Amino acid sequence: MTDTAKYNDQFTAQKAAVLVPTYNNAKTLESVIRDVLSYTSHVIVVNDGSTDETADILDTFPQIQRVDYTPNRGKGIALRRGFRYAVEQGYDYVITIDADGQHFASDLPVMLEKLETERKAIVIGARNLQQENMPGKNTFANKFSNFWFYVETGLKGPDTQSGYRLYPVYAMRNMRFWCTKYEFEIEVLVRSAWKGIKIDWAPIKVYYPPAEERVSHFRPFRDFSRISVLNTVLVTIAFLYIKPRDFFRYLMKAENWRSMWYDHVLNKEESNFRKAISIGFGVFMGIIPIWGFQMVTAMALAVLFKLNKALVFMSCHVSLPPMIPFVIFASFATGRIWVKDGSLLLPFSTNLSLDMIKENLFQYLTGACTLAVAAGILVTLIVYVLLAIFRNDPARQREVR
């Protein structure tokens, strides 16, 4: 059996296809398709409203499957329509390859090999970002994307911008996406991770032609702006919904409570003071009035001061959405200490004046800061005393076990 037949049989058995989105890539498209066809006949090309000779080139390959439409809608739409078409044709997986000639079909077996162990995962082809001709802006953009992907999902990876990917389209068929351009490739990773789809990486080769031969449809200002807006939305959703949701799910499992107790609270490698100050600091950060930035700031400072990041993270959730009204009320009530004739309740009146708004805002902010400091210190002392009791009494520890 030839290598082509062997690999094609694997594509057939795995219900997988290669998906090639293209827009005005006439110079490289033919060689890309021929390269892919040397591995499999399961090829889907999405012609995203090309205005060059793309259609004529595709006509010379009657064995491929095509999705054509006009006008040009962007890479996100091309991928989304390709996913939908693949599912309609009975495919469970697609491997996406860019049509600009930067990817090698010889890496397709690497992706197929991943399917042997990762049945429900998006696998990203990780490029060598230090190789010759790699544009400097690509290296910066990838580091930028990797950072925000970590903030939004808690996952670290070497390359979140590569277009060489394996998608489990069967597991994504009910998902609805917002983005239509390049930023879709960020959205699909983040929202799939939130859905429980694993994100994995595999090393691939990549070719970057000299600058004078390079063709790119990426519009730096417009597309970077769209990506920035998307990351702002995703970070907001992550901290207001996804992370609290995951935290509640974590707390619902008994084995996680045991792990939290033994691995973090009773960990003999850390002192009682470090544990207590970590929990107290988390409570402080959960109350301090920097809404939207509490978790990011807390984790950054936990790293800086070498605190227990897990304990800081867990205790910072004192300001989970269900608790926010109580935290705000307690902050406002505490602020009476600093405001003469301060109110116990927030005033709701149609006759609000600027001075009244300033006074009540001052009452809330000073109260929140005071409450954060007081609660942080109190929790630190209580936890320290409890840890001293539990960790110094072996009999008590056996009872807990």
Side-chain angles (χ1 to χ4, degrees):
M1 180 183 293
T2 65
D3 286 344
T4 299
K6 179 183 73 173
Y7 290 126
N8 192 61
D9 287 346
Q10 290 182 25
F11 272 92
T12 302
Q14 300 286 9
K15 295 184 179 180
V18 177
L19 175 62
V20 185
T22 183
Y23 171 63
N24 288 354
N25 296 116
K27 292 183 179 180
T28 55
L29 181 61
E30 181 177 355
S31 62
V32 169
I33 294 176
R34 291 191 185 281
D35 200 17
V36 172
L37 286 173
S38 67
Y39 285 84
T40 181
S41 60
H42 297 281
V43 181
I44 303 169
V45 178
V46 180
N47 180 10
D48 182 25
S50 298
T51 56
D52 58 3
E53 298 80 24
T54 291
D56 295 332
I57 293 172
L58 296 180
D59 288 340
T60 65
F61 295 98
Q63 67 271 49
I64 68 172
Q65 302 174 71
R66 293 171 56 173
V67 178
D68 295 274
Y69 55 85
T70 56
N72 170 254
R73 296 293 305 280
K75 190 176 184 182
I77 291 294
L79 289 171
R80 287 162 58 178
R81 293 190 179 183
F83 293 169
R84 184 172 61 196
Y85 178 85
V87 171
E88 291 171 351
Q89 301 307 307
Y91 291 109
D92 288 342
Y93 303 91
V94 296
I95 301 173
T96 60
I97 290 183
D98 291 341
D100 57 7
Q102 293 182 7
H103 298 154
F104 294 90
S106 58
D107 284 317
L108 288 172
V110 175
M111 295 297 192
L112 286 175
E113 186 177 346
K114 276 290 186 179
L115 273 179
E116 299 297 326
T117 56
E118 304 293 350
R119 302 299 298 174
K120 186 183 176 183
I122 295 177
V123 180
I124 306 171
R127 304 163 293 176
N128 177 7
L129 299 178
Q130 307 302 320
Q131 71 179 59
E132 185 180 4
N133 289 331
M134 168 63 75
K137 63 181 181 181
N138 285 36
T139 303
F140 167 78
N142 194 58
K143 290 180 179 178
F144 180 85
S145 179
N146 293 349
F147 169 76
W148 286 112
F149 179 70
Y150 173 69
V151 171
E152 292 151 3
T153 66
L155 302 174
K156 290 185 177 180
D159 190 352
T160 54
Q161 289 199 315
S162 172
Y164 207 147
R165 301 180 178 185
L166 166 66
Y167 288 100
V169 288
Y170 79 95
M172 301 164 56
R173 60 187 180 277
N174 295 323
M175 296 181 66
R176 297 292 180 266
F177 298 99
W178 316 314
C179 298
T180 62
K181 308 294 183 181
Y182 284 99
E183 69 275 10
F184 169 79
E185 291 185 301
I186 298 173
E187 180 197 4
V188 69
L189 291 186
V190 174
R191 296 186 60 196
S192 295
W194 290 350
K195 188 178 175 65
I197 295 173
K198 183 179 178 181
I199 309 297
D200 201 0
W201 284 264
I204 63 164
K205 301 179 293 294
V206 65
Y207 169 69
Y208 274 98
E212 62 273 11
E213 300 177 15
R214 199 171 299 141
V215 177
S216 175
H217 301 298
F218 186 83
R219 300 159 298 179
F221 178 76
R222 185 178 300 181
D223 288 321
F224 189 77
S225 297
R226 295 171 69 98
I227 290 171
S228 297
V229 171
L230 173 64
N231 278 320
T232 300
V233 173
L234 293 176
V235 167
T236 301
I237 295 173
F239 283 98
L240 292 184
Y241 173 67
I242 299 298
K243 292 186 182 297
R245 179 203 68 180
D246 292 344
F247 184 68
F248 274 123
R249 289 178 177 177
Y250 178 89
L251 294 181
M252 292 298 291
K253 297 180 180 179
E255 61 270 23
N256 291 333
W257 281 95
R258 289 192 292 269
S259 174
M260 182 168 44
W261 181 256
Y262 293 118
D263 296 342
H264 297 290
V265 178
L266 296 182
N267 185 350
K268 295 181 179 179
E269 301 300 321
E270 293 179 338
S271 67
N272 289 351
F273 177 76
R274 185 167 182 260
K275 293 178 183 299
I277 201 70
S278 297
I279 295 174
F281 177 73
V283 171
F284 167 82
M285 289 304 307
I287 298 175
I288 204 75
I290 51 172
W291 302 102
F293 299 93
Q294 290 166 312
M295 193 67 67
V296 174
T297 306
M299 297 312 295
L301 292 175
V303 172
L304 178 64
F305 296 121
K306 299 181 180 180
L307 302 177
N308 186 312
K309 294 184 289 294
L311 294 179
V312 171
F313 176 80
M314 288 185 288
S315 54
C316 194
H317 282 81
V318 69
S319 61
L320 282 170
M323 294 296 296
I324 289 176
F326 300 100
V327 172
I328 292 176
F329 172 77
S331 299
F332 193 75
T334 304
R336 297 181 69 196
I337 299 172
W338 306 105
V339 177
K340 184 180 179 180
D341 299 325
S343 302
L344 181 60
L345 297 174
L346 285 166
F348 293 94
S349 171
T350 57
N351 298 317
L352 285 176
S353 64
L354 183 59
D355 288 339
M356 184 182 297
I357 293 174
K358 289 180 178 178
E359 184 174 322
N360 283 283
L361 181 60
F362 178 78
Q363 180 176 335
Y364 163 68
L365 292 176
T366 55
C369 293
T370 304
L371 180 64
V373 172
I377 293 174
L378 180 62
V379 169
T380 299
L381 293 174
I382 292 174
V383 171
Y384 182 82
V385 171
L386 292 176
L387 285 175
I389 295 172
F390 276 103
R391 298 184 80 193
N392 292 334
D393 186 350
R396 186 67 176 274
Q397 287 191 29
R398 285 194 295 272
E399 290 177 9
V400 174
R401 289 178 182 275

